[in-house]
Amino acid sequence: MSNIREHILQTTCNLMEKQGYHGTGLNEIVKESGAPKGSLYHYFPEGKEQITAEAVWQSGRMTAKRIQNGVSGGSNAAKAIHDFILNIADHVETSGFAAGSPLTAVAMETATKSERINLACREAYTLLETAFKEKLLESGFTKTKAEELGTFITATVEGGIILSRTYHSGNPLRTVAKHLKVLLSQ
Amino acid sequence: MSNIREHILQTTCNLMEKQGYHGTGLNEIVKESGAPKGSLYHYFPEGKEQITAEAVWQSGRMTAKRIQNGVSGGSNAAKAIHDFILNIADHVETSGFAAGSPLTAVAMETATKSERINLACREAYTLLETAFKEKLLESGFTKTKAEELGTFITATVEGGIILSRTYHSGNPLRTVAKHLKVLLSQ
DNA sequence: GTCTATAATACGATAGAC
DNA sequence: GTCTATCGTATTATAGAC
């Protein structure tokens, strides 16, 4: 796959995790990525919607992988999930308060405005929920419980990201990590 | 206080809980509110930032009040918070998947772009966290625990709103409500 | 206080040369 | 594949009449 194409997608992720969908312009993506300006519509003939949908989807796949690889042994979901969230907390602070993924902002902005992007966001969230669920299954949770907790954990992390970005501090995410660990260790 | 002014703020809340900050234009606010077009900059001389900051702040105050009044007796925080979230779940579905408040979307979009709106979002979230905390204190939680859980609950609700909007279903919020109740009943 | 008209700018998208 | 130039349409904000 083209290098430039990948780089445009990565830049889109980086910008949208700070500014969201409407707050990020195509001119900004071109400029920031350093990609040849004429090539944007060559690689993404369907424009901004296509770029965003692909960026969201790719970001979801990468985040899910990070959850899966959290603890290789897989015997302790509580610790794996705890560490995963602490990593996001650090990232928020070291990146100038980026969200770690474009998903949170883009999902909110486009939920009722673009069917295509909304579909990509659903798929991305389902990947995250499933990754958490698998971790919990490995640790001995029942199927129903693992499924519901997968949703619960995803919601809590997303909300923690919003609070940490708003307060310009990783602490809300750290509080979330701490209490999720207690909940999952019981 | 002016009736028109209040109506402009209310309309801004309604639009931004669906479309966010950048997705909502001033023209749209004027048109939707039916307010006299010439009066927008009369009541809000500092423009969109001022309108948004005030809308966010007002919305935070109203939501905090709804949490406080959830259960008048105040003896059962778990049930009060559970019911509060179920109400949001219903609202998301009956409103065509609005967020219940402009806070979630606006906070994400403006966290690093507008200091003024960011400050309003912080104050609004602090109001929510405090409202949850007070409910927990009334139910006998220790001060430290009530404080941390106030943050945890706020994060979980905000994340639940994102998931429910994305999936076009109140069910993620209902899952959140269920497991929060279990957590708080122990 | 409210109106219309418009300034000034940014946006997404496209055309056509090379 | 990549370029520049530009179209058409949004946006926020302001000016000036009434």
Side-chain angles (χ1 to χ4, degrees):
Chain A
M1 185 165 293
S2 161
N3 209 344
I4 292 176
R5 201 188 136 91
E6 283 305 304
H7 195 233
I8 289 175
L9 283 179
Q10 190 54 54
T11 305
T12 304
C13 285
N14 294 340
L15 290 173
M16 288 196 179
E17 65 174 295
K18 277 195 167 185
Q19 312 175 335
Y21 176 72
H22 291 104
T24 304
L26 292 184
N27 290 335
E28 200 179 0
I29 293 174
V30 169
K31 185 182 172 188
E32 178 79 13
S33 71
K37 182 167 183 174
S39 62
L40 202 148
Y41 278 93
H42 172 70
Y43 290 111
F44 304 94
E46 287 143 274
K48 193 179 185 182
E49 267 203 319
Q50 183 186 6
I51 298 180
T52 308
E54 290 197 33
V56 160
W57 188 79
Q58 175 179 291
S59 165
R61 265 202 338 163
M62 282 180 49
T63 307
K65 236 175 227 169
R66 270 176 42 222
I67 297 170
Q68 285 159 8
N69 300 336
V71 164
S72 51
S75 62
N76 193 339
K79 178 165 171 33
I81 291 165
H82 179 257
D83 292 351
F84 169 75
I85 299 174
L86 288 190
N87 279 338
I88 302 178
D90 291 342
H91 175 264
V92 168
E93 287 178 347
T94 58
S95 67
F97 316 112
S101 148
L103 194 45
T104 323
V106 173
M108 271 303 287
E109 289 180 76
T110 61
T112 56
K113 284 206 130 186
S114 160
E115 203 168 328
R116 178 173 191 169
I117 301 175
N118 175 244
L119 187 63
C121 291
R122 287 189 200 199
E123 289 175 0
Y125 275 130
T126 301
L127 286 176
L128 301 196
E129 294 177 76
T130 305
F132 286 129
K133 181 181 99 178
E134 300 290 344
K135 269 269 169 277
L136 295 171
L137 285 175
E138 289 170 21
S139 284
F141 284 81
T142 67
K143 197 184 163 198
T144 314
K145 198 109 186 196
E147 208 154 293
E148 292 184 1
L149 284 177
T151 300
F152 184 82
I153 294 165
T154 305
T156 307
V157 171
E158 291 297 289
I161 288 172
I162 296 186
L163 291 186
S164 274
R165 265 174 57 71
T166 302
Y167 285 114
H168 292 185
S169 157
N171 289 337
L173 273 166
R174 293 187 186 102
T175 301
V176 160
K178 174 181 168 185
H179 284 272
L180 261 187
K181 191 179 181 189
V182 172
L183 172 68
L184 297 175
S185 297
Q186 287 166 350
Chain B
M1 185 169 292
S2 161
N3 209 343
I4 291 177
R5 200 188 138 91
E6 282 305 303
H7 195 233
I8 289 175
L9 284 179
Q10 189 54 54
T11 304
T12 304
C13 284
N14 293 341
L15 289 173
M16 288 197 178
E17 66 175 296
K18 275 195 168 184
Q19 311 175 334
Y21 176 72
H22 291 104
T24 303
L26 293 184
N27 291 335
E28 201 179 358
I29 293 174
V30 169
K31 185 181 170 189
E32 179 79 13
S33 71
K37 183 167 184 176
S39 61
L40 202 149
Y41 279 93
H42 172 71
Y43 290 111
F44 303 94
E46 287 143 274
K48 192 180 185 181
E49 267 202 320
Q50 182 185 7
I51 297 180
T52 308
E54 290 196 32
V56 160
W57 188 78
Q58 174 178 292
S59 165
R61 265 202 339 163
M62 280 179 51
T63 307
K65 236 174 227 170
R66 267 175 45 223
I67 297 169
Q68 285 161 8
N69 300 336
V71 164
S72 52
S75 61
N76 192 338
K79 177 163 172 34
I81 291 165
H82 179 258
D83 292 350
F84 170 75
I85 300 173
L86 288 190
N87 278 338
I88 302 178
D90 291 341
H91 175 264
V92 168
E93 287 178 346
T94 57
S95 66
F97 316 114
S101 145
L103 194 46
T104 323
V106 172
M108 272 302 288
E109 289 180 76
T110 61
T112 57
K113 286 206 127 187
S114 161
E115 202 168 329
R116 178 174 191 168
I117 300 175
N118 175 245
L119 186 63
C121 291
R122 287 189 199 198
E123 291 176 357
Y125 275 130
T126 301
L127 286 177
L128 301 196
E129 294 176 76
T130 305
F132 286 129
K133 182 182 98 178
E134 299 290 342
K135 269 267 169 279
L136 295 171
L137 285 176
E138 289 171 19
S139 285
F141 284 82
T142 66
K143 196 184 163 197
T144 314
K145 199 110 186 199
E147 210 154 290
E148 292 185 1
L149 284 176
T151 300
F152 185 81
I153 295 165
T154 305
T156 308
V157 171
E158 290 297 289
I161 288 172
I162 296 185
L163 291 186
S164 274
R165 264 174 59 73
T166 302
Y167 285 115
H168 292 186
S169 155
N171 289 338
L173 273 168
R174 293 187 186 104
T175 301
V176 160
K178 173 180 168 184
H179 284 271
L180 260 188
K181 190 179 182 188
V182 172
L183 172 68
L184 297 175
S185 298
Q186 287 165 354

